[in-house]
Amino acid sequence: MTPAVSIIVPTFNRLEFLPAAIESAFAQSFTDWELIIADDGSAGDTSTYLASLHDPPRVRVLWLSHSGKPSVVRNAALRAARGEFVAFLDSDDVWLPRKLATQIARLKRRPECRWSYTRFSQVDANGHSRAAANVRTFPAPCGWILEKLLKEETVIALPSVVVSRELLQQLGGFDEELVMCEDDELWLQLAAESEIDGVDEALTLIRRHGQHSGSDIAAWQDRRRVFTKALRARAGTQHSRLLRRLRAEMSTGLAKSQAASGERLRVLATLCASVAYSWRYRAWWRGAMTAAARAFAPAAAQSFIRRHRQREIARRG
């Protein structure tokens, strides 16, 4: 029979954390689900563990060739999904037992909301809480949240989301051109299409550990692509001005990251390409000068600038 929820878990050589994620799915009080594990070409112990999961047709493993792109892996699982709703669970994160039951019940009561998310807490590699002064927490408001997302007044953790599969198909799933930030791009699309039901309770645990992959340069590049796509889709709307500013900020962030990596020519290319749409923003000029100084100023001058900045911060503080 068709399940109510398709749980999608992408993984790649993540045996240290994967069993806990799978166990948290099986521990759900809501039981009308199928589990689709999309494996991105894992080897050794991870593939052995996945082969040991025997609960057909409730559990399916998709054996994929390695792509290195979570968007490609998740889309493969989406094509195999049969549920009315899709729930995302990353292979290093954990759900609390009431998560699915709470979200599905609330979505059934609010047909105007075609997706849902919960507040989340952060844990370390051992599952211990990271609730400290330097760990920021975000609320999970309901309704139309596009502007709140753009202003970072709320942040959506991918494993907290449950969404209508029909709506995902309508939007085309994840952008496979993105190496990182593919979830952020999808949230902006969803937030423009539907109200969201926010469960302001930390039913999702996000694990922070040393095995996360990705580069700063790729993150800035993909984040800029996210806002550029959103700007094309939302041209002439109330969000256009904010999106243009964010695109400019991503450009200087990219240039500074390239400078830190010693990619001088790419710094120039990034700044020259972005000046046409960014020149009116003071933050872009400040970021551009910082990136240029990091890329081209002598080491002694950079050291002087850093010391001056530190003295200014100390004076103001």
Side-chain angles (χ1 to χ4, degrees), residues 8-12 36-42 62-80 88-91 174-176 178 182:
I8 288 177
V9 179
T11 192
F12 174 67
I36 304 173
I37 306 169
D39 180 71
D40 191 30
S42 294
L62 303 183
W63 304 100
L64 307 174
S65 298
H66 183 63
S67 69
K69 286 187 172 183
S71 54
V72 171
V73 179
R74 292 192 182 98
N75 280 345
L78 281 174
R79 289 191 290 271
F88 298 107
L89 175 60
D90 282 349
S91 58
F174 294 93
D175 181 351
E176 296 189 1
L178 295 168
E182 74 283 350

Side-chain angles (χ1 to χ4, degrees), residues 218-251:
W220 286 111
Q221 285 175 329
D222 282 359
R223 190 78 168 153
R224 184 175 63 174
R225 176 180 168 85
V226 167
F227 292 128
T228 300
K229 282 188 65 177
L231 184 57
R232 287 199 298 265
R234 308 293 295 168
T237 70
Q238 61 180 333
H239 301 110
S240 296
R241 184 176 180 181
L242 177 55
L243 285 165
R244 285 194 295 268
R245 178 174 63 78
L246 289 169
R247 179 180 58 175
E249 291 176 3
M250 296 308 106
S251 295

Side-chain angles (χ1 to χ4, degrees), residues 7 54 73 112 187 261 315:
I7 303 171
H54 297 294
V73 179
E112 74 277 12
W187 306 156
S261 298
R315 183 179 63 80

Side-chain angles (χ1 to χ4, degrees), residues 10-74:
T11 192
F12 174 67
N13 290 342
R14 193 53 72 72
L15 185 60
E16 180 180 353
F17 306 119
L18 179 58
I22 301 301
E23 288 164 12
S24 76
F26 275 94
Q28 292 299 297
S29 59
F30 182 90
T31 59
D32 187 10
W33 50 258
E34 65 172 353
L35 176 61
I36 304 173
I37 306 169
D39 180 71
D40 191 30
S42 294
D45 292 342
T46 300
S47 59
T48 300
Y49 168 74
L50 292 174
S52 73
L53 296 174
H54 297 294
D55 192 3
R58 202 178 191 204
V59 177
R60 287 182 285 163
V61 179
L62 303 183
W63 304 100
L64 307 174
S65 298
H66 183 63
S67 69
K69 286 187 172 183
S71 54
V72 171
V73 179
R74 292 192 182 98

Side-chain angles (χ1 to χ4, degrees), residues 177-195:
E177 293 298 317
L178 295 168
V179 177
M180 304 173 69
C181 306
E182 74 283 350
D183 51 343
D184 294 328
E185 194 272 336
L186 183 59
W187 306 156
L188 296 185
Q189 288 197 69
L190 288 168
E193 291 291 331
S194 168
E195 295 182 62

